């Protein structure tokens, strides 16, 4: 059977992605499977201010004092060398403990030894030895026996070279440095490099000749530095370190010189604290990434090996793969009329396994996010252009909050996550309103259904919870992640149960509007009281931890809930208002147009005032304090403006409607198949910084296509599991439903067969 073009494009993109990943793994990946060489040899600055360094193909972790403490375990770190090594020493110590100084106390102590002790009792020492011919002898373990691990330094960093050039008449310059370096390497090699867990030979730092003093410029030549670094690289290759790996005891971060910018130095020799701090962070990534506990999120993939799946995780992955293979063979053997029953199983299982491969193996590379205002703006305008180009007008009034009105919100949220927009308060704040809008629609949609249909059966509860959580729970086990980390599915599930409970209690009186309003008010009060103090939620989570072994963060979950704690109730109240307006035909009242025009004008003013207010906030943290109290204003204002006329209500974007059908899947799957490192980085299918635009297009096609396929698969699986009557209308059947019914079909996450 000939596939439609959308299926052909999606399958072709997946095939290309797998082929590129396998080809890279079997060629370049064999030389650097854990991205260690990439960390210390290749990279570039992501931003013009030279603040974010990106190694080729891996996520660079920004180390905190707690990370450093866990890695070093109160062990020693020793620096020996010249003034450039001394600056690296101070910045390294400052990363581990921000209270430590970043420079010698005064100029009289520049050529002295220094010892700093972090708050976690790691001793960081510096020995002034610019020729590496005095202090170094005490740290090479001349006996040839490995020192005890508790006494042996975790890191030994050696740096010299510039003083050989500066005082070449007495040190024999380049040849003197070569001879001394050869002696050091021989001494280290005789002892099997046991002087420390990892020994770092710093490259000779490049200089900016135009900024050097006259005395330095006459003897320190860039050509000599290049010759020395080339010789160092060649000598390390002879020592068996042609490519770094996880067990490399001797490394040389040649990439340090690529990080230097002439504008970041005043004397041509010593570079800014920020630059040297980034170099110190690379040393920590090289030494610590594979030593830290290997738990999600995996936001440090440089010089890192992914953990082996634990038994249950491996069992579930095998079951998913086997399930998919069986479904595939049954799909091939059955007649066309019976094949559709096996397709959802095939799609779901293949996608789950593919997400594991994408984000828990090295098949594809990962890189860190970086917010660029031009990229973000371009993608937003591109989204707008695609939406406008696919506008369609229906012959009927589609009602308020139909799905064609919501897909654009998910696209903005996806772009926001991909670009790392959370760092910008002016972008974070409106996106918080978009998230609140989805929760508003949850309250609006479910309330509309229950008040109209009065059907509180268990089958519908089970189907909705399965539809919301099937993929989330599957990924929680196969990816070994926290269920609450995919926060929106749990959040919507919780609010659905709150709405259900609120309306189901004494449901026979739901025809009484005053009684329903009383129940909603009481529910809002009880939920608010529950989350007002930390102990009720903490007690619940402690109980779950003791009984089921789940370890959820009460603080994080409380933050998620409290940020939008009342918006669902505003959605419920709006549903009641819309129902009453329709029941009493208020839209035919002579003064309705006056009320509508006033609401439209007021909504426009509210939108302007909201953006003025959110842009005036000092930070996103300041805005968060206001958000629970004001988010309903822009939500209601936009709904009013978007549905101001029959023309607007009957017009929708087919592209946005398509995304609206798989919003839940795009939100969940982005963690592992569009983004990477559990959403902390981005997935790189085509290696190389110059291929980023092509990579974005390819991975977006794969991501959107699979999200759509999984949305249909999970809907079918949920319906089959719940054994629901398949004659019930689906979301596709809603196009010819009356306005009140179609309004409910705009509920987020494409809840199929709910009517």
């Amino acid at each position: 059977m000939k596939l439609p073009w959308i299926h052909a494009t999606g399958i072709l993109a997946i095939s290309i992605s797998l082929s590129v990943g396998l080809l890279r793994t079997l060629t370049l990946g064999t030389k650097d499977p854990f991205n260690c060489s990439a960390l210390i040899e290749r990279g570039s600055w992501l931003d013009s201010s030279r603040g974010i360094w990106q190694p080729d193909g891996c996520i660079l972790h920004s180390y905190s004092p707690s990370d450093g403490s866990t890695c070093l375990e109160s062990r020693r770190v020793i620096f020996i060398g010249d003034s450039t090594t001394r600056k690296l020493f101070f910045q390294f110590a400052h990363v581990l403990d921000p209270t430590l100084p970043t420079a010698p106390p005064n100029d009289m102590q520049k050529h002295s030894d220094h010892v700093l002790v972090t708050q976690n009792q790691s001793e960081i020492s510096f020995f002034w030895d610019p020729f590496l011919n005095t202090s170094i002898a005490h740290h090479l373990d001349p006996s040839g026996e490995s020192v005890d691990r508790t006494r042996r330094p975790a890191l030994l960093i050696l740096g010299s070279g510039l003083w050989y050039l500066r005082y070449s008449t007495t040190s024999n310059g380049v040849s003197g440095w070569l001879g001394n370096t050869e002696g050091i390497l021989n001494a280290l090699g005789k002892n099997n490099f046991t002087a420390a867990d990892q020994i770092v030979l710093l490259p000779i730092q490049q200089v900016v000749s135009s900024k050097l003093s006259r005395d330095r410029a006459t003897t320190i030549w860039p050509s000599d530095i290049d010759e020395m670094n080339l010789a160092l690289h060649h000598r390390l290759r002879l020592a068996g370190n042609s490519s770094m790996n996880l067990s490399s005891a001797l490394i040389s971060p040649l990439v340090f010189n690529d990080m230097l910018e002439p504008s970041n130095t005043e004397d041509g020799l010593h570079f800014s604290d920020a630059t040297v701090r980034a170099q110190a962070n690379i040393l920590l990534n090289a030494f610590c990434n594979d030593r830290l506990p290997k738990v999600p999120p995996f936001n440090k993939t440089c010089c890192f090996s992914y953990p082996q799946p634990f038994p249950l995780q491996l069992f579930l992955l095998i079951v998913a793969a086997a399930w998919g293979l069986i479904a595939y063979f049954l799909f091939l053997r059955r007649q066309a009329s019976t094949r559709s029953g096996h397709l959802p199983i095939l799609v779901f299982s293949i996608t789950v396994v593919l997400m594991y491969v994408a984000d828990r193996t090295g098949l594809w590379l990962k890189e860190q996010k970086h917010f660029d205002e031009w990229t973000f703006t371009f993608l937003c305008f591109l989204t707008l252009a695609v939406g406008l180009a696919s506008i369609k007008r229906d012959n009927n009034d589609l009602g308020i909050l139909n799905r064609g009105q919501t897909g654009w919100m998910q696209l903005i949220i996806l772009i926001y996550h991909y670009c790392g927009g959370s760092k910008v308060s002016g972008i974070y704040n409106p996106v918080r309103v978009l998230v609140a809008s989805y929760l508003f629609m949850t309250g609006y949609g479910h309330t509309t259904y229950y008040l109209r249909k009065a059907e509180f059966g268990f089958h519908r509860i089970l189907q909705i919870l399965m539809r919301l959580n099937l993929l989330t729970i599957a990924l929680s086990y196969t990816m070994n992640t926290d269920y609450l980390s995919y926060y929106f599915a749990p959040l919507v599930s919780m609010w659905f149960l709150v709405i259900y409970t609120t309306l189901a209690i004494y449901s026979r009186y739901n025809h009484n509007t005053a009684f329903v309003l009383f129940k909603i008010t009481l529910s809002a009060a009880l939920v608010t009281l529950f989350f007002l103090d930390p102990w009720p939620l903490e007690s619940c989570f402690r109980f779950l931890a003791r009984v089921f072994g789940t370890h959820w963060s009460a603080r994080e979950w409380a933050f998620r809930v409290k940020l939008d704690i009342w918006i669902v109730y505003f959605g419920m109240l709006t549903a009641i208002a819309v129902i009453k307006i329709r029941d009493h035909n208020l839209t035919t009242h002579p003064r309705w147009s006056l009320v509508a025009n006033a609401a439209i004008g007021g909504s426009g003013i509210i939108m302007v005032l909201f953006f003025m207010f959110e842009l005036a906030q000092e930070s996103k943290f300041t805005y968060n304090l206001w958000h629970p109290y004001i988010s309903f204003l822009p939500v209601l204002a936009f709904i009013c403006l978007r549905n101001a006329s029959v023309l607007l209500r009957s017009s929708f974007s087919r592209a946005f409607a398509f995304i609206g059908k798989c919003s839940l899947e795009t939100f969940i799957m982005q963690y592992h198949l569009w983004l990477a490192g559990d959403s902390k980085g981005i997935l790189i299918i085509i290696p190389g910084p110059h291929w980023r635009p092509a990579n974005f297009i390819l991975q977006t096609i794969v991501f959107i296509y699979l999200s759509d396929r999984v949305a249909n698969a999970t809907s079918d699986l949920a319906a089959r599991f719940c054994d629901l009557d398949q004659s019930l209308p689906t979301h596709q059947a809603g196009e010819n439903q009356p306005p009140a019914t179609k309004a409910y079909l705009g509920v987020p996450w494409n809840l199929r067969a709910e009517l």
Side-chain angles (χ1 to χ4, degrees):
M1 181 181 68
K2 185 176 180 181
L3 293 175
W5 71 268
I6 190 169
H7 297 297
T9 303
I11 293 173
L12 178 62
I14 295 171
S15 302
I16 293 173
S17 300
L18 290 172
S19 299
V20 171
L22 288 171
L23 181 62
R24 187 204 63 82
T25 302
L26 296 174
T27 54
L28 301 176
T30 57
K31 299 179 181 179
D32 189 23
F34 306 114
N35 299 303
C36 292
S37 294
L39 172 65
I40 64 171
E41 294 180 2
R42 302 182 302 276
S44 58
W45 292 107
L46 286 180
D47 56 335
S48 57
S49 61
R50 303 299 189 267
I52 304 175
W53 180 257
Q54 174 59 67
D56 282 357
C58 60
I59 302 175
L60 185 71
H61 183 57
S62 182
Y63 268 78
S64 66
S66 60
D67 294 331
S69 172
T70 303
C71 170
L72 295 177
E73 299 176 325
S74 302
R75 296 175 61 199
R76 294 185 300 155
V77 177
I78 297 176
F79 289 77
I80 306 174
D82 54 19
S83 59
T84 59
T85 309
R86 181 188 64 217
K87 190 170 183 65
L88 181 62
F89 152 78
F90 276 107
Q91 291 303 320
F92 186 96
H94 190 69
V95 170
L96 297 177
D97 185 351
T99 64
L100 295 177
T102 58
N106 53 65
D107 288 345
M108 298 299 295
Q109 298 186 39
K110 288 196 302 183
H111 296 171
S112 304
D113 299 340
H114 301 275
V115 177
L116 300 175
V117 180
T118 68
Q119 293 179 351
N120 296 301
Q121 303 307 307
S122 289
E123 181 182 286
I124 317 298
S125 304
F126 170 76
F127 296 95
W128 173 257
D129 188 0
F131 294 104
L132 292 182
N133 58 3
T134 54
S135 301
I136 183 65
H138 301 291
H139 302 283
L140 297 184
D141 186 22
S143 66
E145 299 176 359
S146 298
V147 297
D148 181 72
R149 182 181 182 275
T150 58
R151 297 175 51 213
R152 183 175 62 195
L155 277 163
L156 175 61
I157 297 98
L158 311 175
S160 76
L162 292 178
W163 275 55
Y164 279 91
L165 299 179
R166 177 71 179 86
Y167 301 101
S168 57
T169 55
T170 57
S171 66
N172 293 324
V174 175
S175 60
W177 175 83
L178 287 172
N180 189 62
T181 301
E182 184 70 21
I184 292 173
L185 289 172
N186 288 336
L188 292 170
K190 288 180 181 179
N191 300 309
N192 296 319
F193 304 101
T194 57
D197 287 359
Q198 190 169 85
I199 302 168
V200 181
L201 286 182
L202 297 176
I204 294 80
Q205 181 180 285
Q206 275 292 358
V207 297
V208 181
S209 300
S210 60
K211 293 186 176 182
L212 291 175
S213 65
R214 180 176 301 178
D215 291 341
R216 288 172 174 170
T218 57
T219 56
I220 302 177
W221 297 349
S223 59
D224 287 339
I225 295 175
D226 290 337
E227 179 184 351
M228 296 162 76
N229 282 324
L230 185 62
L232 177 62
H233 181 63
H234 178 69
R235 183 60 182 83
L236 290 178
R237 291 176 64 91
L238 293 178
N241 286 271
S242 57
S243 62
M244 181 188 168
N245 54 59
L246 296 175
S247 60
S248 293
L250 177 64
I251 67 170
S252 181
L254 302 177
V255 77
F256 277 16
N257 279 329
D258 296 333
M259 303 173 72
L260 305 179
E261 288 291 326
S263 60
N264 289 336
T265 178
E266 296 181 357
D267 61 2
L269 185 64
H270 302 98
F271 286 79
S272 66
D273 288 352
T275 298
V276 181
R277 192 178 303 117
Q279 294 175 339
N281 196 51
I282 287 179
L283 293 183
L284 284 167
N285 274 261
F287 181 75
C288 294
N289 280 0
D290 206 55
R291 289 174 166 84
L292 289 177
K294 296 185 179 182
V295 294
F298 292 114
N299 58 345
K300 38 189 173 294
T301 63
C302 300
C303 211
F304 174 82
S305 63
Y306 284 100
Q308 297 296 320
F310 65 92
L312 178 59
Q313 183 183 10
L314 180 61
F315 171 76
L316 292 174
L317 286 168
I318 293 173
V319 168
W323 195 22
L325 288 174
I326 293 171
Y328 176 72
F329 286 116
L330 291 175
F331 176 80
L332 293 178
R333 295 183 61 182
R334 297 297 176 90
Q335 296 180 354
S337 60
T338 59
R339 283 181 175 180
S340 59
H342 302 289
L343 190 58
I345 299 174
L346 176 63
V347 170
F348 188 86
S349 59
I350 285 179
T351 303
V352 168
V353 173
L354 186 62
M355 282 192 280
Y356 178 86
V357 171
D359 208 20
R360 292 296 184 268
T361 72
L363 179 69
W364 292 317
L365 301 175
K366 293 91 180 173
E367 292 186 355
Q368 59 216 51
K369 299 178 185 179
H370 162 59
F371 180 77
D372 179 77
E373 59 272 14
W374 292 108
T375 301
F376 180 83
T377 304
F378 170 76
L379 291 177
C380 288
F381 275 106
L382 179 63
T383 298
L384 176 63
V386 172
L388 293 176
S390 60
I391 284 181
K392 178 183 177 181
R393 183 178 179 185
D394 197 276
N395 294 327
N396 301 317
D397 186 343
L398 297 179
I400 68 171
L401 290 179
N402 61 79
R403 185 166 41 245
Q405 299 183 14
T406 62
W408 68 272
M409 299 193 302
Q410 184 61 17
L411 287 173
I412 296 299
I413 291 173
L414 290 173
I415 294 171
Y416 161 85
H417 285 155
Y418 189 88
C419 294
S422 62
K423 300 175 183 177
V424 182
S425 176
I427 296 174
Y428 168 89
N429 302 339
V431 169
R432 287 305 329 161
V433 174
L434 297 184
V435 176
S437 300
Y438 275 120
L439 292 173
F440 175 93
M441 289 188 295
T442 297
Y444 176 87
H446 289 303
T447 302
T448 300
Y449 177 86
Y450 283 123
L451 293 183
R452 283 296 192 189
K453 300 294 183 179
E455 193 275 296
F456 294 92
F458 177 74
H459 271 174
R460 184 173 185 274
I461 300 174
L462 184 60
Q463 188 198 16
I464 289 178
L465 292 179
M466 278 201 64
R467 176 66 183 86
L468 290 173
N469 293 283
L470 184 61
L471 180 60
T472 305
I473 293 175
L475 291 178
S476 297
Y477 284 98
T478 56
M479 305 296 287
N480 190 26
T481 52
D482 185 348
Y483 168 70
L484 294 186
S485 65
Y486 308 96
Y487 75 92
F488 210 96
L491 192 62
V492 175
S493 299
M494 186 205 80
W495 281 116
F496 164 70
L497 293 175
V498 170
I499 295 166
Y500 174 85
T501 303
T502 301
L503 297 178
I505 295 176
Y506 292 104
S507 59
R508 61 183 179 275
Y509 300 113
N510 282 351
H511 63 278
N512 188 324
T513 303
F515 181 70
V516 174
L517 292 175
F518 169 75
K519 289 199 296 181
I520 291 174
T521 304
L522 180 61
S523 173
L526 292 175
V527 171
T528 301
L529 286 174
F530 182 85
F531 286 96
L532 187 63
D533 197 275
W535 73 263
L537 185 63
E538 291 175 352
S539 299
C540 291
F541 280 14
R542 278 196 299 269
F543 172 79
L544 292 175
R546 291 172 182 172
V547 177
F548 300 105
T550 59
H551 299 282
W552 293 342
S553 171
R555 179 181 179 183
E556 177 67 19
W557 185 242
F559 167 77
R560 295 293 185 186
V561 175
K562 292 166 69 174
L563 201 57
D564 295 296
I565 196 166
W566 295 311
I567 192 66
V568 172
Y569 294 107
F570 280 105
M572 298 177 72
L573 295 174
T574 302
I576 295 174
V578 171
I579 290 173
K580 292 303 176 183
I581 289 172
R582 287 170 177 162
D583 288 347
H584 293 87
N585 292 320
L586 293 182
T587 56
T588 61
H589 193 280
R591 295 187 179 180
W592 177 256
S593 59
L594 179 64
V595 174
N597 290 333
I600 293 170
S603 297
I605 295 173
I606 288 174
M607 293 297 289
V608 172
L609 292 177
F610 169 76
F611 280 106
M612 292 174 59
F613 174 80
E614 68 94 1
L615 290 172
Q617 298 307 298
E618 181 181 359
S619 69
K620 65 180 185 180
F621 305 106
T622 306
Y623 172 79
N624 281 344
L625 299 176
W626 289 94
H627 179 77
Y629 306 98
I630 65 171
S631 61
F632 74 96
L633 292 172
V635 171
L636 289 174
F638 177 80
I639 292 173
C640 185
L641 294 173
R642 177 64 177 84
N643 297 274
S645 68
V646 175
L647 176 64
L648 290 174
R649 291 193 298 273
S650 62
S651 301
F652 67 96
S653 167
R654 286 171 291 180
F656 293 164
F658 176 81
I659 296 298
K661 293 191 297 181
C662 56
S663 294
L664 174 63
E665 284 67 32
T666 57
F667 190 93
I668 297 172
M669 291 171 59
Q670 67 170 325
Y671 279 68
H672 308 296
L673 201 58
W674 200 48
L675 306 177
D678 302 281
S679 82
K680 303 304 180 182
I682 58 175
L683 194 65
I684 301 295
I685 296 174
I686 306 175
H690 300 296
W691 289 97
R692 273 207 169 189
N695 179 82
F696 175 80
I697 294 172
L698 180 62
Q699 69 179 126
T700 300
I701 293 173
V702 172
F703 169 62
I704 296 297
Y705 174 72
L706 286 178
S707 296
D708 175 65
R709 294 295 85 204
V710 172
N712 286 279
T714 51
S715 293
D716 289 340
L717 290 173
R720 291 175 186 276
F721 180 85
C722 299
D723 194 25
L724 292 181
D725 183 359
Q726 295 302 303
S727 65
L728 291 176
T730 65
H731 58 273
Q732 289 90 347
E735 294 182 0
N736 298 318
Q737 300 296 324
T741 301
K742 286 185 292 185
Y744 180 68
L745 295 176
V747 176
W749 315 136
N750 183 24
L751 297 179
R752 186 179 178 186
E754 291 188 279
L755 300 179

